[in-house]
């Protein structure tokens, strides 16, 4: 974008997910002359009703980051949510700061969400403020690089993009070849977990005085929001996040690949890293995380399937999702390929359901603001798609309930990957599955009131009839999909009574929602 070094006095706006000391906006500033503005505002805390733990994490991390900047010599204007003069919006706080400080221009790294980016640019335009938005280079691929990669391709597929990112970063590369001879070791990564396996313990950070003050604020101001606030154990500083990274490498990484898709009752984290909230807020740099994980492979600590699988999630999926988001905004979050209109059922907020897998995923979401990928995709996401729930409402739920949720990464995962609401722009077929998949990958079915083996009737696992009902309801849109040919042939071979019984049971499940 433009040269940022010529003005003597700048106001540098740092957002709640830009808590990186070397972010481009701070690199372009001067601690001697410029002022950093960090502001807790009602608009950001309320554009969806975020989980209490998410708000507490973001606010506490913002406050700790401000202290670190002051210690590093910056002048910081920190606005708390309960400041009586707080205007409630980021543009309002920039305007107020410009009145109180000698700055004559504003710098900000590009916001991760389209909503905020356009709001700030529109406001600057209307108010005549000199606002410069810098490319956020905490990502591996710039918008332009992704656009160039996507241009002219009939179909976008993560795997090919990922190989480009491997080449660009040199991660797990042996010269021009992928380490071990293969790009992707996913076929080794499909083991269901067993209760007897050793489980790593999640690192818990005790709240300090700053976090305690934030927790009280959240209790007072967001008591009606979804989720348990306490115990609050997220790290809220870069040092704490680095400790969490070390703990992950030490305790979980070697098994990450094997059990990536597993689900186990009472084990919300399994061998996952639980680092996304730190990476997305800026406390950890994605490449530094990947380099640390790569080192574990070369040190002989973790096997290639785990390390490659982990690195792929970050330089592959995470970057790919961001590219898809910016390629398709505005409008992506309103896509609704299947025309689904059912409102999001209340059970997504209460967790009250006899479906043991859903109760587990939603219950831990309420308690921890966390569920791992397969729970998000194959349990809550799968159910929402099969039940024909309005994808925009599904999107708003995911954006609210997870500590790592920002629209640039959440929306492609929800609208594209999990709901297929973009009609296959992101993925080649819907992630629709019957109870059989959940039974294979988890121990939930053993303790469920429903019977996963029953296909129809009152005792049948609801995923079973819903699966077929979804495919038939959307036959005009899906039958032509080559990856679903075999599935439709199975349906065609069923006798009429069985078909009718599937659809009747599905209707009863849907009516009961
Ligand atoms: P791990 O399993 O340990 O994975 C390692 C890291 O890889 C993560 O920390 C994350 O940075 C990255 N990663 C893994 N999968 C993805 C992916 N599909 N897209 C982008 N990054 C990925 N991730 C978010 O960061 N924010 C979201 O709001 C979000 N919403 C999701 C919604 C749905 C419906 C689905 C299916 C996935 C979503 N994901 C989201 C992706 C993924 O589920 C989370 O990144 C992951 O569960 C975070 O937990 P973790 O740190 O333990 O991840
Ligand atoms: C998520 C969040 C919340 C809850 N509150 C704030 C806030 O008060 N001030 C702020 O600067 N950022 C906050 N954030 C993060 C922003 O929502 C995030 O920067 C945008 O969504 C762009 O990704
Ligand atoms: Fe979930 Fe069905 Fe298994 Fe119950 S039987 S846990 S609803 S998959």
């Amino acid at each position: 974008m433009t040269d940022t070094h010529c003005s003597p006095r700048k106001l540098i706006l740092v957002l709640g997910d830009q808590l990186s000391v070397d972010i481009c906006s701070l690199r372009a500033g001067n601690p001697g002359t410029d002022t950093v503005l960090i502001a807790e505002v009602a608009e950001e805390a309320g554009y969806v009703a975020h989980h209490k733990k998410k708000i507490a994490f973001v606010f506490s991390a913002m406050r700790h980051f401000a202290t670190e900047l002051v210690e590093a010599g910056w002048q910081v204007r920190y606005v708390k949510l309960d400041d009586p003069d707080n205007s409630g919006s980021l543009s309002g706080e920039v305007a107020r700061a410009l009145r109180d400080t000698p700055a004559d221009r504003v710098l900000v790294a590009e916001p991760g969400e389209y909503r905020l980016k356009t709001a700030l640019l529109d406001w600057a335009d209307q108010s005549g403020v000199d606002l410069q938005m810098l490319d956020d280079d905490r990502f591996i691929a710039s918008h332009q690089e992704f656009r160039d990669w996507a241009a002219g391709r009939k179909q976008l597929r993560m795997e090919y993009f990922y190989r480009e990112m491997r080449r660009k970063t040199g991660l797990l590369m042996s010269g021009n070849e992928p380490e071990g001879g293969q790009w992707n070791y996913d076929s080794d990564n499909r083991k269901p977990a067993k209760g007897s396996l050793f489980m790593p313990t999640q690192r818990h950070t005790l709240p300090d005085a700053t976090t305690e003050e934030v927790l009280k604020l959240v209790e007072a101001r967001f008591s009606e929001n979804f989720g348990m606030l306490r115990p609050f154990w997220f790290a809220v500083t870069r040092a704490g996040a680095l400790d969490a990274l070390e703990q992950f490498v030490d305790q979980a990484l070697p098994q990450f690949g094997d059990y990536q898709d597993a689900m186990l009752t009472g084990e919300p984290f399994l061998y996952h890293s639980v680092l996304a909230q730190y990476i997305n807020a800026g406390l950890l740099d994605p490449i530094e995380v990947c380099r640390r994980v790569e080192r574990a492979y070369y040190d002989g600590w973790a096997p290639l399937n785990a390390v490659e699988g982990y690195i792929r999630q970050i330089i592959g999926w995470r970057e790919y999702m961001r590219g898809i988001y910016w390629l398709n905004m505005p409008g992506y979050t309103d896509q609704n390929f299947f025309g689904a209109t059912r409102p999001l059922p209340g059970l997504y907020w209460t967790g009250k359901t006899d479906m043991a897998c859903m109760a587990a995923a939603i219950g831990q979401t309420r308690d921890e603001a966390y569920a791992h990928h397969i729970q998000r995709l194959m349990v809550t996401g799968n159910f929402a798609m099969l039940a024909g729930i309005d994808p925009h409402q599904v999107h708003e739920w995911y954006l609210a309930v997870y500590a790592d949720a920002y629209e640039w990464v959440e929306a492609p995962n929800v609208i594209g990957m999990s709901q297929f609401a973009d009609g296959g722009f992101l993925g080649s077929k819907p992630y629709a599955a019957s109870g059989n998949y959940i039974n294979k990958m988890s121990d939930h079915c053993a303790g469920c009131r429903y019977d996963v083996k029953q296909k129809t009737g009152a005792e049948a696992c609801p995923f079973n009839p819903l699966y077929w009902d979804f495919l038939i309801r959307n036959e005009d849109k899906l039958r032509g999909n080559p990856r679903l040919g075999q599935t439709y042939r199975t349906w065609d071979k069923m006798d009429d009574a069985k078909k009718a019984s599937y659809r009747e049971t599905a209707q009863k499940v849907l009516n009961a929602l």
Side-chain angles (χ1 to χ4, degrees), residues 355-357 435 438 444-445 448 450-452 461-463:
M355 291 180 275
C357 55
I438 296 171
H444 293 315
C445 301
C448 185
Y450 295 106
D451 182 350
V452 72
C461 163
F463 282 89

Side-chain angles (χ1 to χ4, degrees), residues 14-18 39-42 44-45 47 50 54-55 58-59 62 81 90 111-113 115-116 406 408:
V14 173
L15 305 173
D17 57 354
Q18 298 184 341
E40 298 166 8
V41 293
E44 291 309 301
Y47 67 90
H50 304 283
K54 179 181 178 186
I55 301 177
V58 173
F59 283 8
M62 285 166 67
L81 190 77
L90 287 167
E113 300 194 350
R115 164 191 66 80
L116 185 56
Y406 298 90
W408 64 266

Side-chain angles (χ1 to χ4, degrees), residues 245-255 292-304 306-307:
L245 169 60
E246 286 309 312
Q247 164 121 353
F248 163 65
V249 171
D250 202 42
Q251 294 205 4
L253 174 64
Q255 312 270 39
R292 177 65 191 92
V293 166
E294 182 191 42
R295 182 149 58 85
Y297 168 67
Y298 289 119
D299 287 350
W301 174 247
L304 189 53
V307 169

Side-chain angles (χ1 to χ4, degrees), residues 139-381:
F139 294 89
I140 302 158
S142 67
H143 297 328
Q144 190 56 48
E145 277 174 298
F146 193 86
R147 272 196 298 271
D148 290 347
W149 175 80
R153 283 173 195 259
K154 263 207 258 148
Q155 274 195 328
L156 304 186
R157 291 296 168 252
M158 194 287 295
E159 182 62 28
Y160 299 106
F161 172 74
Y162 164 58
R163 293 178 191 180
E164 293 299 314
M165 296 299 100
R166 287 273 293 277
R167 290 192 186 95
K168 181 168 181 193
T169 58
L171 280 159
L172 288 181
M173 293 298 291
S174 172
N176 289 328
E177 296 303 316
E179 195 61 59
Q182 265 172 246
W183 289 102
N184 183 318
Y185 290 86
D186 221 12
S187 51
D188 299 346
N189 292 353
R190 295 274 146 77
K191 297 197 180 93
K194 296 197 182 61
S196 57
L197 287 171
F198 164 76
M199 290 296 159
T201 46
Q202 212 46 49
R203 188 180 181 285
H204 280 206
T205 308
L206 284 178
D208 63 5
T210 302
T211 301
E212 197 51 54
E213 193 189 339
V214 168
L215 295 180
K216 293 207 167 73
L217 174 76
V218 174
E219 268 156 359
R221 293 286 293 269
F222 302 98
S223 61
E224 298 300 311
N225 285 34
F226 175 72
M228 298 282 288
L229 179 62
R230 295 174 192 264
F232 181 87
W233 53 267
F234 287 138
V236 289
T237 60
R238 173 163 165 77
L242 282 169
D243 280 354
L245 169 60
E246 286 309 312
Q247 164 121 353
F248 163 65
V249 171
D250 202 42
Q251 294 205 4
L253 174 64
Q255 312 270 39
F256 172 83
D258 287 355
Y259 301 111
Q260 207 180 328
D261 289 1
M263 294 173 277
L264 205 55
T265 308
E267 294 290 347
F269 310 109
L270 290 155
Y271 297 94
H272 291 271
S273 65
V274 197
L275 294 178
Q277 67 280 13
Y278 306 139
I279 302 173
N280 294 349
L283 298 181
L284 293 177
D285 175 70
I287 288 290
E288 90 180 321
V289 172
C290 291
R291 296 249 178 260
R292 177 65 191 92
V293 166
E294 182 191 42
R295 182 149 58 85
Y297 168 67
Y298 289 119
D299 287 350
W301 174 247
L304 189 53
N305 69 309
V307 169
E308 185 281 317
Y310 192 83
I311 288 175
R312 177 164 20 93
Q313 304 312 311
I314 296 190
I315 67 169
W317 281 112
R318 185 172 185 271
E319 292 284 328
Y320 184 68
M321 292 305 188
R322 179 175 184 254
I324 296 284
Y325 177 74
W326 285 104
L327 213 53
N328 286 283
M329 285 302 282
Y332 195 64
T333 56
D334 296 320
Q335 300 232 20
N336 190 351
F337 179 63
F338 297 122
T341 53
R342 188 175 299 279
L344 188 78
L347 69 90
Y348 275 77
W349 299 109
T350 62
K352 285 194 184 135
T353 166
D354 288 338
M355 291 180 275
C357 55
M358 289 284 281
I362 297 166
Q364 75 173 69
T365 300
R366 177 197 59 221
D367 295 348
E368 309 290 4
Y370 179 84
H372 65 71
H373 187 68
I374 288 301
Q375 295 177 300
R376 298 188 202 195
L377 183 64
M378 300 310 293
V379 179
T380 43

